[in-house]
Amino acid sequence: MTMVADSYLVLWASQTGNAEWIAKNIHTEAKKRGYKGECHLMNEYEKSDIATAGVVIFVASNTGDGDPPDNALKFWRFLRRNKEKDYFAGRQITCLGLGDTNYSNFNNTVKRIEKKCKELGATVFYEKGLADDAEGLENVVDPWIEHLWTALPKVLVSQGPVESETAVDKLADLLDKTSMASHPSHAAAAAEQNGKESVAKPEPYSFKGRKTDLPSVVEQYTHLPNTLVAQHTFPEPASPAALVLDYSGLTAGIKLTGIPKASAANIQWASLAKSINNGSKNDTIVPDFVSTPTPIVYAPVANVRCLTSKDALKRSLLIELTVDNDLAFEPGDAFGVIAPNDEKLVHALILRLTANASDAYTMLHQIKGEDLPTHLQKASSVTLADILRYGVDLTVAPRKALLRMLADHASDMEEKTRLMYLCSKQGLAQFNALRDQSPTLLDILSAFPSCTPPVSRLLDLLPAHQPRYYSVANSPISHPGRVRFVFNIVEYTSTTGVARQGVATPWLDKITGLVAAKGEQKNGSTQVALGDVRVPLFVRPSNPFVLPVDTKRPLIMIGPGTGIAPMLGFVQHRQAQRNLRQKMGGLGQHPASDIAKDFGAIHVYDGCRHRAKDYLFEDEFKQLVDDGTVTRLRVAVSREDPDNKAYVQDLMREDIQLLTDLVLNQDAAIYVCGSFAMANDVNKVFADILMQSNPVIDVAKANTQLMDWMANGKYLRDLWA
C-alpha cells in the first residue's frame, strides 16, 4: 500500500524561464488545493527539504543537445555522485520535461533525473510528461498538469480545504450558458463570420493619432538655458500587424471547455515617486536588474564585415570585438549578447499601455511580490521603458495563460469571448494559427482593442527577455584580445505574409552601421572603426563544445553556412598551437616531422548555396589548407546547378570509407554545427557507418551508440532551428 505523504517539493531548472513559470504555477495551485510544500531551483536543493519531502515534482527544460540547464548542473552532479541506494526510498516522484524533438536527446534532462532517482529508491507515482516545443509545449503541459491533480491525492494528503470555485469556472460557465446571438454584436459576428478575417480594430482604443510631442507653445521654451521643461525625443512607434484568425467555430451557444485557470496575480508594479533624467535615451547600457551567469563586458566594436553578396539569400555579418583581458574564452565557447527589444516596438507598447509616454521613460518603479520570477527579482528601481527593453519577451509566441488574463481585462464581450475561445479546447486550431503568425505583444493587444491589462499582470505572464548566444569564431592565440562571431540577419515572412525580424541580429546590424554587402566596396570588404559603439556580452559557462586536449587526435568538422564559424576558430587554434610548437623547436634528428606527428589530421566539410554569393571564409580556409593545418576541405554547393545539388551529408557518403577509418580506428572527434535538419542527415551517415561496420548493429543500437559518443565528448553538436 502506498504511504500518503504530508508534504511535497517542486524542483525546477530553466534556461529561458518557461520551466520556472510552470513549476511556480504548479506550486501556487497546489497550495490553493490545500497541499503543503515548497518550490526551489534545482541548484538550490540544499535550501529545500529534499531529504524529507514525501513527494517530489521535477520540472526541467533542456539546453544544447539535451543537456541540463545551467541552473541544474550543481543538482545533477549531486544526484550523479549520490551512491545511497535508499536515498529516495519511500518517496514518490514525477517529472515534467520541456524539450524539442529536433534534438536527438529529446527531454534528456528529466529522463536522466527520473532514472537516477529510481536507482536511489524512488517510486514514480505519475507518468512523466515530455512536452515538445516543436509541436507546442502546452499540448502536453496543460493536460499533464490537469491530470496531476487526480494523481496527487493518492500520494499526498491535503492540509486544508480545496477552493470551491475559481474565476475560470465562473467565466466558463457564463460562456457555456450565453448564446452569442443573444448579444447584438455577437449576432452580427455570427452572421458575418464565415471565413478568415483580420481581428485588428480601429479607434477608439488605438494609440494611433495620439500626440507624443509637446504643444508648440511649450516646445519653443525647451531649448532655453536652465529650462524646467524636459525635452524628450521618441522614436516613431511600430505599427501592429493584423492577425488573421477564423472564428467560424465560435457558434451560438457553444460550450467552451479546457480553458486554463486564471493565474494568480503576484507582481506589484509600485511607483517610487522618483524620476530620472534623459530616460528616453536608448544606448547599450544594460540595466542593473538584468542577471547573467558571468559578468557583463562592454566590448568595443573593432571591425565589421558583410560576408555575403547583395543578391545572396541571407545577409551574414562578421563582427570583431575588442575584449583585451576582460573576457577569457576558448575556441568553441559561446557568449551571450544582451540586445534590447526593438525601440519602436517598445514605444508603441508604451503608448498602448500608458497615458503618459514621458513617464514611462523617466518615472521609477519597484517590482514587488512573493517569489518573484528570476528575471525580475532585482528590479527594485526601473522604468517601464527599461522593463520592456530588457526585462520581458515581446515577440515570443503567446501562452494560453496570457490570453486567459487578457480576457479578464477586455471590456468588450465579443473580444472577451474570442480570447476565451482561443485558449479553449474548441479553439485549439486557431490558437496554433495565432502562434504560427509569430505575433508580437503589440499585435495581440491591437487585435483586442478593448483589452487594457495592467502592467503588473503582463509582468506576471510575459516570459523573460533572453540573451542571444553566438559561437566564438577565432582563437585567442591567433587573435589576442579579440572575439569574432558570425551570424545571419534574422528576417522572415509569417504564415500570413507579414515581414518579421529577429531581436539581436537586426540590432547588431544597425549599431554597426549597416555595412555594405560583399563586392559593393573595394576588395569586397568594409572595415569600420566604430569608436564608442559597445556590445554587452558575457561568456556562457560550462560549454562542452571544445577541442580535445590531445592534439594528436584527428578531427572531423561539419559546419555549412554560418556553422563553419566555430570550426574556423578550432582550426586557427590548431594552427597557432603548431606554430608555437615549431618556434620551440624539437630535440630529435627530424624535428619538423616529429612536430607534424603531434597534430592529427583535420577534415572539414563546409557548405554554401553559391560560391560567389555566400561561401564564407574562402580565403581563410584556402590558407589553412595551403599550410597543411587542414588535411582535407570539401565544400558542398547546393544552388549553383539545379541538377547537381550537393549537401555536406552527400560529400560525407562519398568519403564513407575514410570516415569509417577515422571514427572507428583512429578515434576521431566529431564536431557538427548548424541546423537541426542538416544535423539529422549527418547523424544518419554516422549511424550507417556503425551498421556497415557490424551486422549485429541495427538503427536503434547505432543511435544508442551515437548518444553514448555525445555523452562522452567524442561527438559534439551545436545546433539551432
Side-chain angles (χ1 to χ4, degrees), residues 269-511:
W269 179 245
S271 174
L272 296 178
K274 295 191 297 185
S275 64
I276 59 172
N277 294 322
N278 203 24
S280 61
K281 183 180 179 182
N282 178 29
D283 52 29
T284 59
I285 302 300
V286 178
D288 292 340
F289 73 84
V290 176
S291 297
T292 55
T294 58
I296 295 174
V297 173
Y298 291 89
V301 178
N303 292 297
V304 58
R305 177 161 51 110
C306 183
L307 303 178
T308 51
S309 63
K310 189 175 182 179
D311 56 349
L313 182 64
K314 297 180 180 180
R315 174 174 166 84
S316 303
L317 293 188
L318 167 67
I319 291 181
E320 184 172 322
L321 306 174
T322 301
V323 295
D324 295 327
N325 297 320
D326 297 331
L327 203 71
F329 67 93
E330 295 182 36
D333 272 350
F335 60 88
V337 170
I338 305 175
N341 283 309
D342 179 70
E343 192 69 10
K344 292 183 177 181
L345 175 59
V346 168
H347 189 58
L349 284 167
I350 285 172
L351 294 175
R352 177 67 171 79
L353 297 170
T354 67
N356 189 316
S358 295
D359 284 354
Y361 291 92
T362 59
M363 296 304 296
L364 294 172
H365 289 72
Q366 180 182 7
I367 293 178
K368 299 191 294 186
E370 181 183 350
D371 196 18
L372 290 173
T374 304
H375 63 287
L376 298 177
Q377 288 176 357
K378 296 181 180 179
S380 59
S381 181
V382 295
T383 64
L384 177 59
D386 274 342
I387 284 292
L388 294 178
R389 286 172 182 149
Y390 292 99
V392 291
D393 196 327
L394 307 178
T395 60
V396 70
R399 298 166 174 155
K400 285 186 179 180
L402 174 68
L403 302 180
R404 172 69 184 83
M405 180 275 291
L406 294 180
D408 284 343
H409 295 280
S411 58
D412 180 85
M413 187 61 187
E414 181 179 346
E415 291 180 12
K416 186 187 294 288
T417 304
R418 288 182 172 186
L419 283 162
M420 296 298 290
Y421 175 68
L422 287 174
C423 55
S424 71
K425 185 179 295 185
Q426 290 71 25
L428 178 60
Q430 291 312 301
F431 173 71
N432 290 334
L434 172 65
R435 289 171 62 91
D436 289 344
Q437 294 176 52
S438 305
T440 66
L441 177 62
L442 176 67
D443 298 337
I444 296 171
L445 291 177
S446 298
F448 302 96
S450 78
C451 182
T452 55
V455 170
S456 58
R457 292 300 282 137
L458 287 173
L459 296 182
D460 270 325
L461 291 162
L462 290 174
H465 182 58
Q466 295 297 319
R468 270 50 177 184
Y469 290 97
Y470 302 94
S471 297
V472 172
N474 66 287
S475 162
I477 303 176
S478 62
H479 297 82
R482 298 293 177 94
V483 164
R484 307 173 95 200
F485 64 107
V486 178
F487 56 90
N488 292 325
I489 307 301
V490 177
E491 297 173 327
Y492 61 100
T493 302
S494 74
T495 55
T496 55
V498 176
R500 301 288 191 190
Q501 64 178 21
V503 174
T505 59
W507 176 76
L508 287 166
D509 196 8
K510 179 181 178 182
I511 67 171

Side-chain angles (χ1 to χ4, degrees), residues 614-689:
D614 56 11
Y615 180 20
L616 311 183
F617 302 116
E618 180 176 9
D619 294 339
E620 287 88 342
F621 272 101
K622 182 180 184 302
Q623 188 270 326
L624 289 162
V625 171
D626 289 345
D627 76 358
T629 303
V630 173
T631 308
R632 194 159 187 255
L633 170 66
R634 300 209 63 190
V635 182
V637 183
S638 63
R639 295 294 186 272
E640 285 183 358
D641 183 356
D643 298 324
N644 189 27
K645 294 181 179 180
Y647 300 93
V648 287
Q649 61 268 22
D650 300 323
L651 302 186
M652 292 174 65
R653 290 193 181 279
E654 293 177 6
D655 297 342
I656 199 150
Q657 290 184 343
L658 170 65
L659 293 174
T660 299
D661 179 57
L662 285 167
V663 171
L664 299 183
N665 300 327
Q666 301 184 45
D667 191 29
I670 305 165
Y671 297 85
V672 181
C673 185
S675 70
F676 291 128
M678 176 276 301
N680 288 336
D681 288 331
V682 166
N683 206 62
K684 292 174 184 177
V685 176
F686 288 117
D688 287 345
I689 286 174

Side-chain angles (χ1 to χ4, degrees), residues 246-262:
D246 182 359
Y247 292 108
S248 60
L250 190 54
T251 56
I254 187 175
K255 292 183 180 296
L256 299 180
T257 60
I259 299 171
K261 185 175 180 178

